[in-house]
Every structure is written in structure tokens, then in C-alpha cells.
């Protein structure tokens, strides 16, 4: 949800369960939102429950729960937003209430910025957008926050070859493990952003380490470790494993009159869409200089243009600079003869 709500309130990188579907719910009427504490201290992988009470009414269904959203306004913890649990309706009192489970990774100050009608259950998006409400703030002192690291073997993963990741969770303040076996969720792609709360998990050893084998694939997935919480993960690490830059290229013609444009077609394995490629010409014995550039299309293919500058055999190659998780690479050299 920290990525989910960031997608809602900032620039999204991936689809969000809380992406706005329409205007705020016209049937949700909020009079007040209160927190039973103005500050809280929480350590390690623990969470501190804060009671949230919302006064108001919901015309559509009196039994519908709501979730309160808080946004970071200060501090440096990993979380940028927090979400309450599904707050239960007490129709007689005209309120919803329930806990907000605050983790150490919230370290800083958070302010209530709005509500959504629940229950919170991604990836199903809500029917309505967030109903804004400027509510109270809470100061969180988070200590011994978790640090997550990952070592990929091999470091650069060949296409269609299996690999493994050694994940480790430790105390960022001491650099040591927490000394107990931890439940973590290891996911790929959509499961890294569509969090369902506690679910099928892996168990680390007492050093906070767990190693997982991943199958060989042509497209490297987003890979993640989430620290389960309720309703959201309390910490995470996600990335795409490094891939080699494998480039192939060939000219449309092996010879052409001087000054004529000659298309050079090629591909980069793994289809790194929108990454740059550079056609380079050999100057002297060792100096390769860029003479034209293009970007990789969605198919993984590209076209750059050569233009023989003189009569004779001219060596070329295509260079692919490091881009996102793809490493740098070059094609085999080829020649075009100027005539």
C-alpha cells in the first residue's frame, strides 16, 4: 500500500488499487476524525495500535466499513502513507472505529488526509475516489527499523536461466539480525504491489536470511520481499534483477553510394522499451564514435541510420548503454562499403 498510496498521491509507476475511479463518494459524510494519541513510539518489527474514530454517516449502506488514510508530512521512515484497518460501523453512535497499526518504518509525522469506503481489499479498486478530510496528526518515533538486502546469484541473470536471491532482514540501527525467525512474503510482479495482508509467507532463519530459487524467464520480473502487516506491509524491498545487454544489428545494404542513408536494423534481447542505442563508426584503429542514435521499440527492435562518408569499407557497430536493469553491450562489428 505504501507504493499503492504513493501511486494515488504522487506520480504512479504501477497500477494502484486506489487509483481514482470517480469523484469522492457523495453518500459519505464525515463530521470528524479523531486519534486517541498524538504521538507513539514503536521499535523493530512491532506495531503500535492507535484507535481511530470517525463520526459521520454513509447513506448507501450503514454497515460499510471505512479506511482512514494518513500522509507523511515530516520525518524519514520508509512509509510515505499509512492506512487504518477496516473501521467498523456503530450505527447507534454514528461512528466507525478501529485500530491504525503504526510500524517503526513510519518514523516521522503523519496527517489524516482522507477516507475511502472499505473494505480494503486490493487489487479490486474502490468505486469512488478518496473523500478528502484534513484531520489530526500523529508523531511517530520509530527505532530499530528493518533493513532489507538482497544478493542475486548470478549477479547479472542470463535470459531463460534460473537464478536465486538471498534475502536478509536486519536491524538498521545495530546492523544485526533480530535474532528470531521472521515471516516474510516473497513475490514477483503484481503481487509486489497488490498486497492482501498476511498470506502465504516464507520463514527466514534466525539470522533473518531466506534464499529463494527463481525460474529462468525471458522477461525479468519485479521481485520483492514484503514484511507482512495489517492491513498493509510494514516494509519492503523491490527491484528487477540485472540483465545482460545483448545487441544484434545488421545493415539493410552491404554497400551504398557515399552520402546515402543506409538503415541498420537490430534488436536488444529482453526488449528494453525506450532505451537508447547508438550507431558507432570506427575512426582510426580504436576510436568508436557515435554517428546516429535511436530508441528501442516495444518489440525490442530498433533502426539507426548509417551514411557512408567515403569510398571504401567502413566498420560500424551498435552500442547499448546501461539502461534500467539492462547492462551495457555492443553488437558485433559490421561493415558498409561506400561506393
Amino acid at each position: 500500500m505504501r507504493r499503492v498510496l504513493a501511486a494515488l498521491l504522487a506520480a504512479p509507476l504501477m497500477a494502484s488499487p486506489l487509483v481514482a475511479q470517480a469523484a469522492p463518494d457523495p453518500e459519505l459524510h464525515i463530521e470528524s476524525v479523531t486519534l486517541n494519541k498524538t504521538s507513539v513510539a514503536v521499535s523493530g518489527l512491532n506495531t503500535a495500535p492507535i484507535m481511530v474514530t470517525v463520526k459521520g454517516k454513509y447513506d448507501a449502506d450503514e454497515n460499510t466499513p471505512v479506511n482512514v488514510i494518513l500522509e507523511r508530512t515530516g520525518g524519514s521512515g520508509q512509509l510515505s502513507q499509512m492506512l487504518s484497518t477496516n473501521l467498523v460501523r456503530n450505527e447507534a453512535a454514528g461512528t466507525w472505529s478501529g485500530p491504525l497499526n503504526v510500524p517503526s518504518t513510519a518514523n516521522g509525522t503523519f496527517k489524516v488526509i482522507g477516507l475511502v469506503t472499505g473494505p480494503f481489499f486490493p487489487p479490486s479498486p474502490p468505486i469512488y475516489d478518496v473523500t478528502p478530510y484534513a484531520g489530526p496528526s500523529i508523531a511517530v518515533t520509530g527505532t530499530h527499523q528493518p533493513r532489507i538486502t538482497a544478493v542475486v546469484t548470478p549477479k547479472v541473470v542470463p535470459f531463460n536461466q534460473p537464478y536465486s536471491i538471498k534475502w536478509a532482514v536486519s536491524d538498521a540501527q545495530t546492523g544485526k539480525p533480530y535474532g528470531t525467525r521472521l515471516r516474510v512474503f516473497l513475490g514477483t510482479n503484481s503481487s509486489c504491489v497488490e498486497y492482501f495482508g498476511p498470506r502465504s509467507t516464507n520463514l527466514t532463519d534466525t539470522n533473518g536470511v531466506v534464499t529463494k530459487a527463481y525460474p529462468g524467464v525471458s522477461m525479468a520480473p519485479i521481485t520483492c520481499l514484503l514484511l507482512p502487516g495489517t492491513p498493509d506491509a510494514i516494509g519492503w524491498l523491490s527491484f528487477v534483477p540485472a540483465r545482460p545487454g545483448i545487441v544484434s544489428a545488421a545493415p539493410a545494404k552491404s554497400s551504398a553510394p557515399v552520402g546515402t542513408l543506409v538503415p541498420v536494423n537490430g534488436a536488444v534481447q529482453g526488449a528494453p522499451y525506450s532505451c537508447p542505442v547508438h550507431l558507432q563508426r570506427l575512426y582510426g584503429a580504436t576510436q568508436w564514435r557515435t554517428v546516429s542514435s535511436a530508441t528501442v521499440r516495444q518489440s525490442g527492435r530498433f533502426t539507426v541510420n548509417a551514411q557512408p562518408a567515403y569510398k571504401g569499407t567502413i566498420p560500424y557497430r551498435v552500442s547499448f548503454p546501461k539502461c534500467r536493469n539492462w547492462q551495457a553491450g555492443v553488437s558485433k562489428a559490421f561493415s558498409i562499403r561506400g561506393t
Side-chain angles (χ1 to χ4, degrees):
M1 175 56 70
R2 68 266 132 224
R3 297 165 300 278
V4 165
L5 288 175
L8 170 66
L9 300 172
L13 294 178
M14 286 174 265
S16 162
L18 292 182
V19 169
Q21 302 296 306
D25 191 339
E27 297 184 286
L28 179 62
H29 309 285
I30 304 303
E31 295 180 32
S32 65
V33 177
T34 58
L35 308 176
N36 72 333
K37 294 182 180 179
T38 57
S39 64
V40 65
V42 57
S43 177
L45 301 176
N46 299 308
T47 57
I50 303 301
M51 184 58 64
V52 183
T53 302
V54 177
K55 186 175 182 180
K57 64 178 182 176
Y58 188 50
D59 297 336
D61 183 351
E62 63 184 26
N63 294 316
T64 299
V66 297
N67 300 97
V68 172
I69 303 168
L70 295 87
E71 182 180 15
R72 177 181 293 282
T73 58
S76 59
Q78 185 177 28
L79 296 188
S80 57
Q81 290 88 26
M82 288 194 291
L83 186 76
S84 75
T85 57
N86 296 316
L87 305 184
V88 178
R89 179 68 175 171
N90 182 334
E91 186 61 24
T95 61
W96 292 268
S97 62
L100 162 69
N101 296 314
V102 181
S104 63
T105 47
N107 183 56
T109 304
F110 284 77
K111 180 179 175 60
V112 172
I113 57 92
L115 298 87
V116 289
T117 51
F120 169 63
F121 189 73
S124 300
I127 297 175
Y128 297 100
D129 195 0
V130 173
T131 298
Y133 184 86
S137 295
I138 184 168
V140 181
T141 302
T143 56
H144 298 282
Q145 298 175 46
R147 176 175 180 260
I148 304 169
T149 58
V151 177
V152 182
T153 303
K155 186 176 180 180
V156 178
V157 179
F159 293 96
N160 300 307
Q161 295 295 314
Y163 61 100
S164 67
I165 301 180
K166 180 181 178 181
W167 301 91
V169 181
S170 61
D171 182 333
Q173 192 168 320
T174 65
K176 298 178 180 180
Y178 288 104
T180 185
R181 303 187 77 183
L182 308 174
R183 290 210 170 272
V184 298
F185 174 77
L186 302 179
T188 56
N189 290 334
S190 61
S191 65
C192 291
V193 293
E194 296 170 353
Y195 183 71
F196 291 89
R199 51 184 171 176
S200 176
T201 54
N202 297 78
L203 198 62
T204 72
D205 61 19
T206 55
N207 290 317
V209 173
V210 59
T211 300
K212 182 175 179 178
Y214 297 82
V217 290
S218 59
M219 298 295 290
I222 300 167
T223 309
C224 66
L225 180 149
L226 305 180
L227 298 175
T230 304
D232 190 21
I234 64 173
W236 71 95
L237 174 65
S238 61
F239 64 96
V240 179
R243 289 292 203 177
I246 300 176
V247 189
S248 60
K253 298 178 180 180
S254 59
S255 64
V258 172
T260 303
L261 290 178
V262 179
V264 174
N265 299 304
V268 181
Q269 193 165 347
Y273 177 58
S274 78
C275 286
V277 287
H278 305 295
L279 178 67
Q280 296 181 330
R281 181 181 129 194
L282 183 62
Y283 285 74
T286 60
Q287 289 191 340
W288 291 95
R289 298 180 186 175
T290 296
V291 292
S292 72
S293 300
T295 57
V296 179
R297 299 189 290 272
Q298 195 166 6
S299 63
R301 300 193 60 79
F302 62 83
T303 300
V304 286
N305 289 315
Q307 190 172 25
Y310 57 85
K311 292 183 177 181
T313 300
I314 306 172
Y316 292 93
R317 71 179 187 181
V318 173
S319 172
F320 174 77
K322 187 178 186 304
C323 183
R324 300 195 293 274
N325 62 303
W326 281 270
Q327 307 304 293
V330 294
S331 72
K332 291 182 179 180
F334 56 88
S335 297
I336 300 175
R337 183 171 182 80
T339 60

